[in-house]
């Protein structure tokens, strides 16, 4: 029961009154099951109430402390335990409480290799002046530890990091501005890498770019990739189409940037200003395409347009037109001569494989050649 105090009253002026429950003798305590009506009511709101510090078990306090150390320092907290308890290699056991890495690992229930990875991480950091040397530490000694972010620069959880391959991967990772541990993890799990490439276009694009960069300095990989593409029908067709588009773009680029055209007969002459301007216009449209856009259709349109303009330019120049036809005729004559010279008459006669149709074709060819010679001679005489 609560008694209100008047402003003029003091605790010394108030006598404590004790009321008893009906049926209870004065001076006796109520039963334990009887509710205390004067006790404050506590409502369960479901919210966490921070316990008093003295009510927390010592083991919980120790765990929270250890967790806080690890959150601030990362692996340095465990590396310190190794550094102050494991003696450096070659140091005698006498005169020190430190033990070997093997003995420490047996006590810890892990492998000596794992202990040595922490040992080596501390050793490298000590060389950089980030932490004390092993010789300056004693078992149980506490020192100020570096920030957690610095830990991964010295520690590698993978034994592959110490191999020649691992060093190469780590160096490449550092050159790309990423942590070596990430690259080593990927390298040790090619199945996961394959899954990521198959499932994610972004990963596939990164892998494509890496392969192209690698092939520039790896002839063996170039050969393997070319062989794989040649043996796959769809890829072979796609490569042929891209090569065709690339050749057409190069044809237009040579005119736009080089200022010269190659005629159908194979002559190389200076391009007219109008033709060069048109080639530059088409080339600018192609260069503005995004990497995701197909250039094949644009390349075909540019090539056809420029090629037709080349033909028009040849026909518009009388001297060039004459030279073009002369070159074309001479090229055809050379091809015909080469084909005829490659006929193996000795083998045909020895094997008796000559047929009447062959003879008729040769006679027709002889007549055509004779007519051609007569026409040329007549034209030469007339001119």
């Amino acid at each position: 029961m609560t008694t209100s105090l008047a402003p003029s009253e003091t605790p010394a002026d108030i006598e404590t009154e004790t009321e008893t429950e009906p049926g209870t003798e004065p001076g006796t305590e109520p039963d334990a099951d009887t509710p205390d009506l004067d006790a404050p009511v506590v409502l369960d709101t479901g919210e966490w109430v921070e316990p008093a510090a003295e009510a927390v078990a010592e083991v919980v306090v120790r765990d929270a402390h250890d967790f806080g150390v690890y959150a601030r320092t990362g692996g340095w907290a465990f590396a310190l335990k190794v550094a102050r308890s494991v003696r450096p290699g070659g140091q005698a056991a006498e005169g020190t409480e430190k033990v070997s890495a093997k003995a420490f690992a047996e006590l810890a229930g892990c492998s000596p290799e794992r202990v040595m990875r922490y040992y080596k991480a501390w050793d490298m950091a000590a060389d950089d002046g980030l932490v004390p040397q092993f010789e300056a530490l004693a078992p149980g000694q506490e020192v100020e530890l570096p920030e957690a972010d610095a830990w991964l620069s010295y520690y590698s959880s993978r034994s592959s990091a110490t191999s020649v391959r691992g060093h190469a991967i780590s160096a490449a990772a550092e050159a790309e501005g990423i942590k070596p541990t990430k690259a080593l993890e990927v390298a040790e799990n090619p199945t996961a890498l394959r899954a990521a490439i198959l499932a994610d276009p972004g990963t596939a694009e990164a892998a494509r770019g890496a392969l192209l960069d690698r092939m520039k300095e790896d002839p063996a990989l170039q050969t393997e990739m070319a062989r794989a593409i040649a043996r796959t029908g769809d890829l072979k067709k796609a490569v042929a189409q891209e090569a065709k588009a690339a050749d057409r773009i190069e044809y237009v680029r040579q005119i736009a940037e080089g200022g010269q055209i190659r005629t159908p007969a194979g002559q190389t002459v200076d391009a007219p200003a109008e033709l060069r301007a048109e080639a530059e216009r088409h080339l600018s449209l192609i260069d503005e395409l995004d990497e995701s856009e197909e250039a094949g259709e644009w390349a075909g349109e540019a090539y056809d347009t420029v090629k037709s303009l080349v033909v028009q330019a040849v026909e518009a120049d009388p001297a060039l037109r004459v030279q073009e036809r002369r070159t074309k005729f001479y090229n055809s004559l050379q091809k015909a001569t080469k084909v005829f010279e490659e006929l193996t008459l000795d083998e045909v006669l020895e094997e008796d494989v000559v047929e009447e149709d062959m003879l008729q074709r040769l006679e027709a060819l002889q007549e055509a050649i004779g007519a051609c010679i007569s026409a040329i001679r007549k034209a030469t005489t007339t001119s």
Side-chain angles (χ1 to χ4, degrees), residues 253-268:
R253 190 179 301 278
Q254 286 293 336
I255 297 174
E257 298 179 355
Q260 291 186 320
I261 60 175
R262 188 175 179 83
T263 67
Q267 298 185 84
T268 301

Side-chain angles (χ1 to χ4, degrees), residues 130-151:
L130 203 62
V131 293
Q133 295 287 344
F134 293 105
E135 294 79 1
L137 297 174
Q141 181 179 350
E142 296 291 342
V143 298
E144 185 176 354
L145 297 174
E147 294 293 331
D149 292 344
W151 173 246

Side-chain angles (χ1 to χ4, degrees), residues 10 52 60 80 176 213 231 242 265 273 295 317 324 349:
T10 64
V60 176
L80 173 62
E176 294 290 336
D213 290 342
R231 292 175 179 175
E242 289 299 320
D317 187 335
E324 178 75 359
L349 295 175

Side-chain angles (χ1 to χ4, degrees), residues 94-180:
E94 295 79 7
T96 179
E97 295 180 343
K98 295 184 178 183
V99 298
S100 66
K102 181 178 180 181
F104 189 88
E106 291 176 353
L107 293 171
C110 65
S111 67
E113 291 78 15
R114 188 176 187 86
V115 172
M116 287 305 299
R117 287 198 287 271
Y118 281 82
Y119 182 95
K120 291 176 181 177
W122 187 277
D123 190 29
M124 289 189 292
D127 289 342
D128 290 345
L130 203 62
V131 293
Q133 295 287 344
F134 293 105
E135 294 79 1
L137 297 174
Q141 181 179 350
E142 296 291 342
V143 298
E144 185 176 354
L145 297 174
E147 294 293 331
D149 292 344
W151 173 246
L152 291 178
S153 299
Y154 295 94
Y155 176 77
S156 173
S157 61
R158 293 168 177 79
S159 58
S160 63
T162 60
S163 65
V164 175
R165 174 173 175 265
H167 283 304
I169 294 173
S170 297
E174 291 175 357
E176 294 290 336
I178 63 174
K179 296 176 181 177

